[in-house]
Amino acid sequence: MPMVTLVVAAGPGFPQGSPGHRYEIAVPLTPGGQLDAEAWLADPKPWRARRIWPGGPARDGDMLFDPDTESWSIRLFPAPGEATDAPLHAAIRNAGQLRPGEYVTIREPDGTEVSYRVVSVA
């Protein structure tokens, strides 16, 4: 399963972007480079995701697809020792093609929308 790495291209506090702020998501892609909803629905195993944010612990999680709204999100589990009642969710918007150089908007768990650039698909 390809690992897609997304880095902050621009957002509040990061007008020039930040390669240290990133998501790594393991996802099958369609031949056109888009998230593959059919593969997600057919695969019972979680698709791994990780949010790396300097100054804090990495957050592991997984990818979720909602067939009713045809939308994607990243569910982020609590970091070790973190007190929280439920996983956080980051909504993927404007996913388009996930190929190097393309852009994706993610609505972070706090509601802030941040632009990410695809830097690798390996």
Side-chain angles (χ1 to χ4, degrees):
M1 189 173 312
M3 180 66 71
V4 177
T5 302
L6 310 166
V7 301
V8 169
F14 306 105
Q16 303 301 316
S18 174
H21 294 78
R22 66 185 186 276
Y23 282 95
E24 297 170 348
I25 56 175
V27 292
L29 301 173
T30 66
Q34 297 166 324
L35 293 167
D36 192 336
E38 288 182 22
W40 188 90
L41 292 168
D43 187 354
K45 296 181 301 275
W47 292 2
R48 294 181 309 117
R50 175 174 264 201
R51 180 181 188 253
I52 294 121
W53 214 254
R59 286 186 171 271
D60 290 321
D62 58 7
M63 295 290 296
L64 298 176
F65 176 69
D66 182 343
D68 292 332
T69 60
E70 297 186 3
S71 62
W72 292 91
S73 65
I74 302 170
R75 178 173 52 179
L76 300 166
F77 304 120
E82 182 179 42
T84 185
D85 293 336
L88 300 173
H89 287 79
I92 299 174
R93 299 165 45 86
N94 309 325
Q97 293 183 331
L98 296 181
R99 295 188 174 156
E102 298 292 336
Y103 291 85
V104 175
T105 301
I106 296 180
R107 186 174 353 114
E108 295 293 337
D110 67 1
T112 304
E113 291 201 356
V114 178
S115 178
Y116 286 81
R117 185 171 44 87
V118 178
V119 294
S120 70
V121 178

